[in-house]
């Protein structure tokens, strides 16, 4: 599903519902650039140097497209239901005003890559969803509140506009005191500076008597009563609250992802997280430890498909290419037969083919699908923990005995210690010739249960006529014609106890078990460790000291 400025507010409740009901979320992002200094990182780059380069890039480039795909297990068929969203994001407010005054860099190679993969730059600029960080929202809220409450700071009047402003004040005063004048007056203005001066003077001379409202090319001033002023102030406060809430834009989705505390999955996600946090949460910390804490605080559980692919023992030697496309090909091999299927929701049929590869929504959908199949294979190869010892086994081991555990270890009564001085079993007598016994009387077989379709078919089939006799029966009057639907209705009523529905119990269709658990030891050991490319340290552990 594509999300743009036009449908974002309408689809926001649906996005929130998808996140709250899912098991985990996969994310991906596209950027305006990746490296402020290309080819700076080498095999000898330290973790601190690599992070400083990443931090510098995340603060200067933009995240221009974000993919979010939710996954929910369906126990009725053992598959996962996916809801992928592809979101264009652009750094403005709903009204087009950008309080952060954001300037950003672009990298020619990144834009060329996006263009070759049919990225719609016009849609990004014209329809990109607006957003603000929390700090930017607070600044915007203070500015808008002051404007609504007429608490804007006064500005100085320059010499060029002194005479013009004095004439405006005089005209407005004469109009206000005239009993024969209209209920409004329009003051022509040439620029934003003159409009600001008119607002300022009306607020200073007639704060509770006049109301000034900007229109195309002029300021519309009207007389107002105290009751109208109070109602107008309440309306402004309501509009202000709605404007502040809508100004958050896409950052509200990031807040929902953070609040749900569900696993976040990505491919080489350390880069995506840096850009997303810097753009929607706040500036990245100056140190690696601070960055790790910021990730862990925002998203408590994070998993990286790239790290899992070369770390899990069950996947050793299966992936020849650790790129997203390489892992997609890997999970489609015979080794992953029997792993659960991933089915897009009926409202999310955009990614049924691979034509939209490298679109953020598609990559997020593929990333989550890869993780599901990898974790399912890992769970198949997971060695189960031994069952806890029973009380009898514990006592036996305390006494220094080492008998084998019985097959039914869950039942304490099944464990029997050998008896002392047990007598050997007596040999059984040699077999004798079998004695013929009369055959038992045949037991009548249970009546065969027919399905509803068999019964109807049997009713329609012509009965086999008995052998003819000497006595010719008296001809009977013709039987009334019975409609086919009436026969079926009668059979359904008379043979309802013989219907298939009485024999099919709910237990005949057991619910499928989840292929893996996020709390299993084989999965928890792979969480919160992210791949760190082209460096000797290899990965970054979010929970290490």
């Amino acid at each position: 599903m594509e999300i743009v400025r036009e449908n974002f507010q309408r689809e926001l409740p649906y996005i929130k519902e998808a996140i709250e009901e899912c098991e985990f979320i996969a994310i991906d992002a596209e950027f305006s650039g990746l490296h402020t200094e290309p080819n700076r990182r080498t095999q000898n780059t330290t973790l601190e140097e690599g992070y400083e380069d990443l931090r510098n890039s995340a603060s200067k480039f933009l995240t221009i497209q974000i993919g979010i795909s939710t996954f929910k297990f369906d126990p009725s068929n053992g598959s996962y239901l996916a809801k992928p969203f592809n979101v264009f994001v652009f750094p403005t407010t709903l009204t087009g005003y950008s309080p952060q005054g954001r300037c950003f860099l672009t990298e020619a190679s990144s834009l060329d890559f996006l263009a070759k993969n049919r990225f719609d730059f016009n849609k990004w600029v014209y329809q990109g969803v607006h957003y603000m960080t929390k700090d930017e929202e607070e600044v915007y809220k203070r500015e808008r509140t002051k404007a609504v409450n007429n608490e804007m700071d006064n500005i100085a009047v320059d010499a060029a506009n002194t005479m013009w402003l004095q004439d405006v004040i005089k005209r407005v005063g004469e109009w206000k005191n005239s009993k024969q004048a209209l209920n409004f007056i329009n003051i022509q203005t040439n620029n934003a500076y003159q409009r600001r001066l008119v607002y300022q003077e009306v607020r200073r001379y007639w704060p509770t008597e006049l109301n000034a409202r900007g229109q195309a090319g002029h300021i519309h001033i009207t007389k107002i009563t105290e009751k109208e002023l109070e109602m107008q102030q309440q309306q402004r406060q309501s509009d202000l609250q709605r404007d502040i809430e809508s100004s958050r834009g896409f950052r509200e989705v990031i807040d929902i992802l953070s609040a749900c505390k569900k696993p976040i999955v990505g491919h080489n996600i350390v880069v995506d997280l840096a850009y997303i946090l810097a753009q929607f949460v706040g500036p990245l910390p100056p140190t690696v430890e601070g960055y790790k804490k910021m990730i862990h605080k925002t998203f408590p559980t994070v998993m990286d498909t790239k790290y899992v692919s070369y770390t899990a023992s069950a996947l050793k030697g299966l992936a020849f290419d650790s790129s997203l496309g390489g892992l997609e090909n890997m999970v489609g091999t015979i080794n992953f037969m029997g792993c659960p299927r991933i089915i897009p929701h009926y409202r999310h049929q955009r990614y049924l083919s691979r034509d939209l590869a490298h679109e953020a929504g598609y990559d997020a959908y593929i990333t989550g699908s890869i993780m599901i199949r990898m974790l399912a294979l890992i769970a198949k190869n997971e060695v189960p923990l031994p069952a806890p010892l029973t009380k009898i086994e514990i006592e036996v081991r305390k006494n220094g005995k080492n008998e084998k555990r019985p097959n039914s270890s869950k039942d304490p009564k099944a464990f029997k210690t050998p008896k002392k001085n047990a007598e050997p079993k007596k040999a059984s007598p040699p077999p004798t010739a079998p004695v013929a016994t009369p055959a038992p009387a045949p037991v009548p077989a249970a009546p065969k249960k027919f399905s509803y379709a068999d019964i109807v078919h049997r009713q329609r089939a012509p009965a086999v006529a008995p052998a003819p006799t000497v006595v010719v029966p008296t001809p009977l009057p013709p039987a009334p014609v019975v409609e086919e639907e009436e026969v079926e209705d009668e059979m359904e009523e008379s043979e309802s106890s013989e219907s298939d529905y009485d024999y099919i119990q709910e237990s005949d269709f057991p619910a499928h078990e989840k292929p893996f658990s996020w709390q299993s030891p084989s999965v928890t050991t792979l969480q919160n460790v992210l791949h760190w490319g082209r460096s000797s340290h290899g990965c970054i552990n979010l929970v290490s000291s």
Side-chain angles (χ1 to χ4, degrees):
M1 176 183 290
E2 191 168 77
I3 303 297
V4 292
R5 193 179 307 173
E6 183 181 6
N7 68 343
F8 172 70
Q9 291 295 336
R10 182 174 68 251
E11 298 293 348
L12 182 59
Y14 178 66
I15 297 174
K16 182 178 180 181
E17 177 186 355
I19 293 174
E20 290 177 347
E21 71 179 6
C22 73
E23 183 176 331
F24 74 97
I25 306 102
I27 63 173
D28 186 79
E30 301 294 336
F31 318 113
S32 65
L34 287 174
H35 303 290
T36 54
E37 298 181 28
N39 302 322
R40 178 182 175 183
R41 293 169 61 186
T42 64
Q43 292 291 341
N44 297 324
T45 301
T46 64
L47 180 60
E48 289 73 17
E49 292 173 346
Y51 171 68
E52 183 59 30
D53 180 47
L54 176 61
R55 176 171 172 261
N56 190 34
S57 299
S59 63
K60 294 181 178 179
F61 295 109
L62 277 186
T63 302
I64 60 180
Q65 193 179 69
I66 295 182
I68 296 175
S69 186
T70 64
F71 294 86
K72 179 183 178 182
F73 182 71
D74 187 353
S76 64
N77 54 23
S79 64
Y80 278 85
L81 187 66
K83 294 182 179 181
F85 301 89
N86 185 64
V87 190
F88 288 86
V89 288
F90 192 78
T92 60
T93 63
L94 191 62
T95 58
Y97 169 66
S98 181
Q100 59 266 48
R102 186 186 296 273
C103 297
F104 59 90
L105 296 179
T106 58
E107 190 177 16
S109 59
S110 294
L111 297 188
D112 180 65
F113 171 81
L114 293 171
K116 288 178 179 177
N117 287 280
R118 301 180 299 279
F119 183 86
D120 193 337
F121 291 95
N122 284 329
K123 185 176 290 186
W124 168 53
V125 176
Y126 289 109
Q127 286 292 324
V129 179
H130 58 283
Y131 62 87
M132 285 186 186
T133 65
K134 293 182 179 180
D135 293 340
E136 292 164 351
E137 180 187 346
E138 289 299 321
V139 174
Y140 182 69
K141 181 178 180 180
R142 287 197 300 267
E143 292 180 355
R144 293 285 292 115
T145 302
K146 289 174 66 176
V148 168
N149 297 332
N150 290 324
E151 298 174 353
M152 297 296 293
D153 298 331
N154 293 334
I155 59 175
V157 183
D158 59 9
N161 289 282
T162 301
M163 296 299 297
W164 173 84
L165 185 60
Q166 290 177 358
D167 182 63
V168 168
I169 295 172
K170 181 180 178 181
R171 288 174 53 199
V172 172
E174 291 175 352
W175 162 78
K176 177 184 175 300
N177 296 327
S178 176
K179 296 182 179 180
Q180 297 180 354
L182 298 175
N183 192 42
F184 68 90
I185 184 175
N186 293 330
I187 303 298
Q188 300 296 323
T189 56
N190 298 323
N191 49 52
Y193 176 68
Q194 289 185 347
R195 290 195 295 271
R196 176 73 179 272
L197 289 176
V198 174
Y199 285 130
Q200 178 176 297
E201 298 306 308
V202 170
R203 183 175 66 246
R204 183 169 65 170
Y205 287 103
W206 307 283
T208 61
E209 301 172 85
L210 301 180
N211 177 53
R213 186 172 67 250
Q215 295 186 357
H218 65 273
I219 301 296
H220 186 72
I221 302 175
T222 58
K223 297 177 182 180
I224 190 170
T225 63
E226 292 185 3
K227 185 176 181 180
E228 291 174 339
L229 182 63
E230 182 180 355
M231 294 177 60
Q232 195 174 82
Q233 190 67 15
Q234 292 177 356
Q235 183 63 39
R236 286 180 177 178
Q237 292 292 341
S238 177
D239 294 343
L240 171 64
Q241 185 62 30
R242 185 171 58 253
D243 184 37
I244 292 173
E245 291 178 357
S246 64
S247 68
R248 299 170 190 154
F250 185 75
R251 202 209 73 225
E252 190 163 353
V253 178
I254 301 299
D255 292 343
I256 295 172
L257 289 174
S258 177
C260 74
K261 308 297 183 184
K262 295 181 179 179
I264 304 295
V265 171
H267 182 77
N268 200 15
I269 195 176
V270 69
V271 177
D272 299 70
L273 289 176
Y275 278 71
I276 290 174
L277 293 177
Q279 192 161 328
F280 301 104
V281 179
L284 297 181
T287 63
V288 177
E289 288 300 320
Y291 174 54
K292 290 158 58 175
K293 291 178 181 179
M294 186 178 186
I295 296 177
H296 199 53
K297 180 180 179 181
T298 308
F299 305 116
T301 304
V302 182
M303 291 193 71
D304 190 342
T305 53
K306 196 163 189 175
Y307 174 77
V308 174
S309 66
Y310 66 75
T311 304
S313 58
L315 304 174
K316 292 291 185 181
L318 297 182
F320 298 99
D321 181 3
S322 62
S323 67
L324 186 64
L327 296 185
E328 183 182 5
N329 293 330
M330 180 192 73
V331 297
T333 60
I334 193 172
N335 299 289
F336 292 84
M337 287 187 64
C339 292
R341 294 187 305 146
I342 295 87
I343 303 174
H345 188 268
Y346 73 92
R347 290 190 64 188
H348 303 259
Q349 302 292 309
R350 181 178 174 86
Y351 301 129
L352 292 178
S353 68
R354 301 180 66 171
D355 295 338
L356 295 174
H358 298 298
E359 185 174 276
Y362 176 87
D363 288 354
Y365 168 67
I366 294 301
T367 298
S369 303
I370 291 171
M371 183 62 80
I372 288 173
R373 297 178 70 81
M374 287 197 305
L375 293 184
L377 185 64
I378 292 171
K380 284 184 179 180
N381 293 274
E382 185 177 19
V383 178
L385 297 175
L389 297 176
T390 63
K391 293 183 178 180
I392 299 178
E393 289 174 313
I394 295 174
E395 291 297 328
V396 170
R397 294 197 176 187
K398 284 183 179 179
N399 296 331
K401 298 177 180 180
N402 191 21
E403 287 79 6
K404 294 184 179 179
R405 301 181 68 180
N407 293 332
S408 56
S409 59
K410 294 183 179 179
D411 186 7
K413 296 181 180 180
F415 188 88
K416 298 180 180 180
T417 56
K419 296 180 181 180
K420 294 183 178 180
N421 302 327
E423 296 181 0
K425 293 183 179 179
K426 297 181 179 180
S428 57
T432 58
V435 180
T437 57
V443 179
K448 182 179 180 182
K449 296 181 180 180
F450 294 91
S451 67
Y452 174 67
D454 292 334
I455 295 173
V456 174
H457 178 72
R458 188 173 55 180
Q459 177 70 16
R460 294 177 181 173
V464 179
T469 58
V470 177
V471 180
V472 178
T474 304
L476 297 176
V481 178
V482 181
E483 295 294 335
E484 187 174 338
E485 294 182 1
E486 294 179 5
V487 174
E488 294 181 2
D489 293 340
E490 291 176 4
M491 292 305 302
E492 184 175 1
E493 293 176 1
S494 62
E495 302 291 344
S496 60
S497 60
E498 298 293 330
S499 173
D500 280 347
Y501 298 103
D502 291 333
Y503 306 137
I504 298 177
Q505 302 295 330
E506 187 176 356
S507 60
D508 294 338
F509 299 96
H512 293 265
E513 295 184 359
K514 288 186 178 181
F516 60 88
S517 171
W518 292 95
Q519 288 74 38
S520 66
S522 60
V523 175
T524 55
T525 56
L526 300 171
Q527 295 173 1
N528 295 321
V529 183
L530 309 180
H531 170 80
W532 190 276
R534 277 183 42 179
S535 187
S536 57
H537 36 75
C539 62
I540 175 173
N541 192 334
L542 300 182
V543 294
S544 63
S545 55

